[in-house]
Amino acid sequence: MKRALVTGATGFTGSHVVPLLIERGYRVRCLVRPTSDISVLKGHSVEWVGGHLEDQPALLTAFKEVDVLVNIASIGFGHAPNIIQAARASGLKRAIFISTTAIFTTLNAPSKAIRLAAEKSIIDSWLEYTILRPTMIYGTSRDRNICRLIRYLNKWPILFIVGNGEFLQQPIYVGDVAQAVVASLDTEKTIHKAYNIGGATAITFNQMIEIVCRALNRGVSKIYVPSTPVIAGLRLLEKLAVRIPIKSEQILRLNENKNFEYTEATKDFGFAPVHFAEGIRLELNEMGITGKK
């Protein structure tokens, strides 16, 4: 029986990956911070190792006698060299890394350079790596974006949209990300490759709103606001260190196309994501929202 070390196991995506690894017959070890909520994996047989990615002794303990690494923890914080060093010390070769399609943004995002450097260090290493780059992940009340949109649309009849809402989005259901992780791990075709993975089809933000509203059986009036003054105002508030629910970078990201081809992933490990409408149905079920009658 192979042993898998999982980082980010108690996070939104990790909590979906771990059960699938166990189903596939892996013995799972999870590296978790002392403050992590391990209850999200209650009922699953896993081994816990306390520590964090900045703690090299903890990493060496976690990597001891494991066959594969499933690194779901963000590589956007500069931890990739530590991980690679621990893998070398333990003799581990096979590794799956979750990155993000955000590396392709046209914006000068602070984390972009860090993530690109992390991917380069992984690619330049001796690891038998696979890199998966999901688009925005959604699917339960633990996601950071779509669940907030659902709650808003389920409560309010008016939505202000900054820009024209016509830029393409391609959110991916969390279950599809988890399936992609275990499927790519189970084939040698994915070794030394990187894949962009997203939802079944790209849709505009306006279409996303309409799909959610149909699922909720609610109507919404969309009011469009020019992006330039809004972004300027948000940037000013950010400079003044005012706490705000949305950042200028999020608005800018919403107003650029984020559509990605995934035919290589389908060919190599059978990637077949659900459509956004199906993912929303599953998310509403998880959230216990039935929609207005």
Side-chain angles (χ1 to χ4, degrees):
M1 180 181 290
K2 287 187 176 182
R3 288 188 173 186
L5 170 63
V6 181
T7 68
T10 60
F12 172 45
T13 302
S15 62
H16 288 79
V17 171
V18 168
L20 290 184
L21 288 171
I22 295 171
E23 286 179 15
R24 295 292 181 99
Y26 285 90
R27 293 178 63 183
V28 177
R29 176 183 294 166
C30 302
L31 176 68
V32 293
R33 292 177 178 272
T35 55
S36 296
D37 178 12
I38 63 174
S39 67
V40 297
L41 290 173
K42 185 178 180 180
H44 296 288
S45 179
V46 301
E47 177 187 354
W48 304 103
V49 175
H52 47 79
L53 297 176
E54 301 93 341
D55 182 354
Q56 198 64 21
L59 278 178
L60 292 174
T61 299
F63 271 88
K64 188 177 180 180
E65 297 179 347
V66 294
D67 302 294
V68 297
L69 166 67
V70 179
N71 191 87
I72 304 169
S74 173
I75 60 174
F77 295 104
H79 299 137
N82 289 348
I83 295 167
I84 293 169
Q85 182 179 342
R88 178 186 286 277
S90 68
L92 180 142
K93 291 184 178 180
R94 187 70 174 108
I96 306 290
F97 289 88
I98 297 291
S99 182
T100 171
T101 53
I103 64 169
F104 300 111
T105 180
T106 58
L107 308 177
N108 188 26
S111 61
K112 178 178 177 178
I114 299 173
R115 289 186 170 118
L116 287 171
E119 284 202 13
K120 186 177 187 304
S121 66
I122 293 164
I123 292 168
D124 290 345
S125 73
W126 75 98
L127 287 171
E128 295 177 351
Y129 69 85
T130 302
I131 298 173
L132 300 176
R133 305 187 189 108
T135 53
M136 180 176 65
I137 307 172
Y138 73 99
T140 77
S141 54
R142 294 186 72 200
D143 76 45
R144 297 179 180 180
N145 298 288
I146 301 301
C147 70
R148 293 169 62 188
L149 179 64
I150 288 171
R151 291 190 181 107
Y152 181 93
L153 293 173
N154 197 41
K155 184 177 182 180
W156 304 104
I158 297 174
L159 177 66
F160 291 90
I161 298 176
V162 182
N164 60 18
E166 288 300 303
F167 287 90
L168 292 172
Q169 319 293 318
Q170 201 171 351
I172 181 170
Y173 181 65
V174 65
D176 290 332
V177 179
Q179 290 286 353
V181 170
V182 295
S184 62
L185 186 59
D186 285 346
T187 175
E188 293 185 355
K189 291 180 181 179
T190 64
I191 293 176
H192 296 146
K193 290 186 178 180
Y195 302 89
N196 300 327
I197 54 174
T201 57
I203 55 178
T204 67
F205 184 64
N206 286 326
Q207 289 172 320
M208 285 176 59
I209 299 300
E210 291 161 7
I211 289 170
V212 173
C213 285
R214 281 199 297 271
L216 292 170
N217 194 25
R218 290 179 63 91
V220 64
S221 296
K222 297 189 284 288
I223 299 177
Y224 298 94
V225 181
S227 60
T228 301
V230 173
I231 292 168
L234 290 174
R235 283 176 170 168
L236 176 60
L237 292 174
E238 289 164 7
K239 286 182 180 179
L240 296 173
V242 177
R243 295 188 65 179
I244 48 179
I246 191 167
K247 295 183 178 180
S248 58
E249 184 180 323
Q250 291 174 286
I251 298 296
L252 289 165
R253 285 283 289 150
L254 190 63
N255 285 277
E256 67 174 357
N257 287 320
K258 296 185 287 295
N259 54 307
F260 298 90
E261 182 63 59
Y262 56 80
T263 51
E264 281 294 305
T266 300
K267 182 179 71 174
D268 286 355
F269 57 91
F271 180 65
V274 300
H275 288 266
F276 185 67
E278 173 62 12
I280 288 298
R281 184 188 69 79
L282 294 169
E283 180 155 10
L284 289 178
N285 287 342
E286 189 275 341
M287 295 176 69
I289 299 175
T290 58
K292 184 180 179 181
K293 300 297 184 180

